[in-house]
Amino acid sequence: MNNKIRNKMELNKQFRQFGHKMTSGRETTIDVLSETDEHLSAEDIHIKVHSVNPKIGLTTVYRTLELLINMGMVSKFDFGDGRARYELAEGFKGAKHHHHLVCTGCGRIVDYSEFVKEEKTFFKRIELELSRKYDFRITNHLVQFYGLCKKCEGY
Amino acid sequence: MNNKIRNKMELNKQFRQFGHKMTSGRETTIDVLSETDEHLSAEDIHIKVHSVNPKIGLTTVYRTLELLINMGMVSKFDFGDGRARYELAEGFKGAKHHHHLVCTGCGRIVDYSEFVKEEKTFFKRIELELSRKYDFRITNHLVQFYGLCKKCEGY
DNA sequence: TTGCAAATGGTTATCATTGTCAATTTATTT
DNA sequence: AAATAAATTGACAATGATAACCATTTGCAA
Ligand SMILES: [Mn+2]
Ligand SMILES: [Mn+2]
Ligand SMILES: [Zn+2]
Ligand SMILES: [Zn+2]
């Protein structure tokens, strides 16, 4: 399937547009993020990248993630366990806008995309008013729910 | 003013209810948090506490903050600058429920409490449905807006 | 191909937070 | 007020995620 090739060329273009080069490490990192539905830490990602391309070091993974964030392809989250988590940003490889339920017992993360439409409407209005009132150009927002998953609230 | 004394006795009771003792360090920490409208880091708090009571160490401040969080008197936030920020929780010393605008340029934090009522309604409904669908007992939520303050988006 | 800026990897440094443990303080009981 | 036992503390060391360094390698335009 030369779908892969087309994809590669797309990526190449993306990087060039931002004044960067495409490298095998960067490509592998994106692949890893595309192929998971988990919320991987930098080290998690490194382990997976490393298993495909053992030459890639952890430092490069950190640098790549930062770059991808700046390019808008990756989102970084803090779920309160002391390490950042990364996922493909909305719109890349079919990733959909969603928010998170975080279990404060076991750390489990649940993606949900219900209410996205209502939420968008709701937040759009709020953002507009807050922007005006506080002279802020709001670019994005974060919503997270905390609680206990079924397993963790058992007694 | 024996308002202070009453306050002290209230605090004392609070601690005892949780099986803890009230100490001068803990009292000073609460005072510091009561008297600021900033979003202080542990070190910020330690500096202020230390200036009142030079015997108190940073470790104790960390421990006290953790305790106060467990007692529901303090909230801990991450605004993405690599250190936690603390503030008095809703309901203590007149602290009001609010959310935050975070400037990604200079790190400035703006409290806002507009829309709290609408938000409560909105989130209550969402939380109910998510709880059901994902078997989660949701206990609280986090909302933050990111963007650029007036100063930072100037050119 | 060649040249050179960009990217990399191994290592060390940083720095917020937590663990350790002997000494001190607190609240309670005589 | 003094004794007691348990909780709290402070100084210091340990931890762990992330960033800085720098010599070497790689991507790509000419
Ligand atoms: Mn997710
Ligand atoms: Mn606040
Ligand atoms: Zn859980
Ligand atoms: Zn700013």
Side-chain angles (χ1 to χ4, degrees):
Chain A
M1 46 169 68
N2 67 8
N3 212 324
K4 225 168 203 169
I5 295 175
R6 176 169 306 165
N7 236 310
K8 200 162 181 166
M9 288 177 67
E10 277 300 322
L11 266 187
N12 207 304
K13 200 199 275 184
Q14 289 266 3
F15 281 110
R16 269 181 296 168
Q17 276 178 337
F18 276 83
H20 295 290
K21 298 172 177 176
M22 199 187 59
T23 67
S24 84
R26 288 171 179 176
E27 198 191 344
T28 309
T29 302
I30 293 170
D31 284 347
V32 164
L33 287 170
S34 305
E35 287 160 14
T36 187
D37 57 352
E38 295 178 279
H39 299 85
L40 302 175
S41 68
E43 197 186 348
D44 294 337
I45 293 167
H46 177 236
I47 289 171
K48 286 176 188 281
V49 167
H50 196 264
S51 80
V52 173
N53 190 338
K55 213 167 23 154
I56 309 288
L58 178 58
T59 305
T60 297
V61 170
Y62 270 106
R63 278 186 298 231
T64 299
L65 289 169
E66 195 190 348
L67 177 63
L68 294 175
I69 290 168
N70 288 333
M71 291 171 64
M73 298 175 67
V74 164
S75 301
K76 181 180 182 178
F77 292 92
D78 167 41
F79 297 126
D81 67 342
R83 74 199 60 193
R85 305 275 167 176
Y86 304 85
E87 63 180 30
L88 233 45
E90 184 181 352
F92 284 85
K93 304 262 185 175
K96 293 183 58 180
H97 183 208
H98 65 271
H99 289 315
H100 298 106
L101 304 181
V102 182
C103 177
T104 52
C106 66
R108 198 156 74 88
I109 309 292
V110 174
D111 290 345
Y112 72 90
S113 47
E114 287 85 2
F115 312 109
V116 167
K117 199 167 286 179
E118 292 159 79
E119 205 187 81
K120 222 168 228 169
T121 310
F122 183 71
F123 280 120
K124 191 158 281 172
R125 187 168 56 82
I126 290 190
E127 287 181 16
L128 193 71
E129 296 199 40
L130 291 177
S131 290
R132 250 205 293 273
K133 174 153 188 183
Y134 296 105
D135 272 322
F136 239 82
R137 191 162 66 73
I138 294 173
T139 52
N140 63 319
H141 65 255
L142 172 72
V143 176
Q144 281 173 13
F145 291 98
Y146 294 91
L148 291 176
C149 76
K150 194 176 193 175
K151 214 171 248 175
C152 287
E153 79 161 342
Y155 52 106
Chain B
M1 45 166 72
N2 64 9
N3 214 322
K4 224 171 203 170
I5 294 175
R6 177 169 305 163
N7 237 309
K8 202 163 180 165
M9 288 175 67
E10 277 300 322
L11 265 187
N12 206 305
K13 200 199 276 183
Q14 289 266 5
F15 280 111
R16 267 182 296 167
Q17 277 179 338
F18 276 84
H20 296 290
K21 297 174 177 174
M22 201 187 59
T23 67
S24 85
R26 287 170 181 177
E27 200 190 342
T28 309
T29 302
I30 293 170
D31 285 347
V32 164
L33 288 169
S34 304
E35 287 159 14
T36 187
D37 58 349
E38 297 177 280
H39 299 83
L40 302 175
S41 68
E43 196 185 350
D44 294 338
I45 294 167
H46 177 238
I47 290 170
K48 286 176 188 282
V49 168
H50 196 264
S51 79
V52 174
N53 190 339
K55 213 168 24 155
I56 308 287
L58 178 58
T59 306
T60 297
V61 170
Y62 272 106
R63 277 187 297 231
T64 299
L65 289 169
E66 196 189 348
L67 177 62
L68 294 175
I69 289 168
N70 288 333
M71 291 171 63
M73 298 175 67
V74 165
S75 301
K76 182 180 183 178
F77 292 92
D78 168 41
F79 297 126
D81 66 343
R83 74 198 59 194
R85 305 275 168 176
Y86 304 84
E87 64 180 30
L88 234 43
E90 184 181 352
F92 284 86
K93 306 261 184 177
K96 292 182 58 180
H97 184 209
H98 65 271
H99 290 316
H100 297 107
L101 304 180
V102 182
C103 176
T104 52
C106 66
R108 196 155 75 88
I109 309 292
V110 174
D111 290 345
Y112 73 90
S113 46
E114 287 85 2
F115 311 110
V116 167
K117 200 167 287 178
E118 291 157 80
E119 205 188 80
K120 225 168 227 170
T121 310
F122 183 71
F123 280 119
K124 191 158 283 172
R125 186 168 55 81
I126 290 190
E127 287 182 14
L128 192 70
E129 296 200 41
L130 291 177
S131 290
R132 249 204 294 273
K133 174 153 188 184
Y134 295 105
D135 272 321
F136 238 82
R137 193 162 65 73
I138 293 174
T139 52
N140 64 319
H141 64 254
L142 172 72
V143 176
Q144 280 173 13
F145 291 98
Y146 294 91
L148 291 175
C149 75
K150 193 176 193 176
K151 212 170 251 175
C152 288
E153 79 162 342
Y155 55 101

